[in-house]
Amino acid sequence: LFLCMAFIQMSVPLVFWGQRPPSHEITCFCRSEEKKAFATGSSSGQVCLWDICVERKTESLKVRPRCMLFGGGCAICSLCFVRNWTGDTHKIASLSEDGLVTLWDGKDGACLKYTRIAGKHSGLQCLPRSRHQDSLIICYGQYSNVFILDSNTLETLCVLKACYHPNWITQTCFLSNVERRDALLALTVDGVAKLWLLPPRSEMKDSEEIYEEKSKTLGISTPLSLASCSNGLHTTALIVCRESWQVFDATGGRMKLLMIHACEASVAGWSRGDFLDCKTVVLWTKASVCVRVCVCVCYCVCRRTPGHLCTSCLHGASLACKRMMLEKTRTVSQVDS
């Protein structure tokens, strides 16, 4: 559609909703932290924004499409809502297979910024930092580096590099208050945990290459998801693999194993997992089986090992506590795949 306004010619794309929905083969999904909206990416390069509302009469949840965004022609491999330090989540970032990173306005669907990063990518994530009153976007994939982007301009601020056992980055999560600084925890495809300390935004241009502070082999293969939860004093990390899920003490980035639970024979294999709160995790499979588990993790505070589970307390944990944890494991929802 071409509009002529006083010698200015503009090309404006319009999207009409007909009786049948447009083709939208979903390749990725993300939801807002308010849980009132989510976004889906498609194999044809489109991004669709959806609203979640409650019907007043029936009090049932309804999902309604609100906006469809048209960018490049390659498949969308990752999405993330961009939340700034004030809590505003009106922007969304998309990553396509050809390396195109696009920043969208979630209200009117306008394309705000875009850039292209070379490489085969797999994930985007937004890191809001209230301490520095800014937010960052990280990009990772089938390479050993992690790109840190500005959430407003998509400018590459710095590159996180690995000097010990570099490999593809598959999962990342944000840790706060590590040596009084923000940190990024990442997992490689062969199960090596890496920790980078993130400087303030004003110092990132002076250190364009940042190497990891810690690196530890966890003895796992092909991690499928990584999540963290903090109660202010301790930070717990959940790593989900196909054959097991594991809980680590990630306080200060130490990654000390607290518990490991193998996949049951009735479950074909785990797909992903996340924290509901600091004591409860939820896991699901590709067969749409969702399991909620109550995690009993006890921390001790002693002079030898302050702030984490020491060896004596680990051996002193009662079998009744472990038995209670397994008894509280129950299937909360199971639907046909």
Side-chain angles (χ1 to χ4, degrees), residues 165-182:
H165 197 76
N167 209 332
W168 294 355
I169 303 294
T170 60
Q171 305 294 330
T172 60
C173 73
F174 180 64
L175 300 181
S176 60
N177 199 20
V178 178
E179 300 179 6
R180 298 183 180 180
R181 297 170 65 180
D182 297 327

Side-chain angles (χ1 to χ4, degrees), residues 250-275:
T251 306
R254 62 172 59 96
M255 293 303 289
K256 180 179 178 63
L257 179 63
L258 297 178
M259 66 171 60
I260 180 171
H261 190 69
C263 184
E264 295 86 353
S266 59
V267 180
W270 299 116
S271 177
R272 296 188 69 85
D274 203 349
F275 284 95

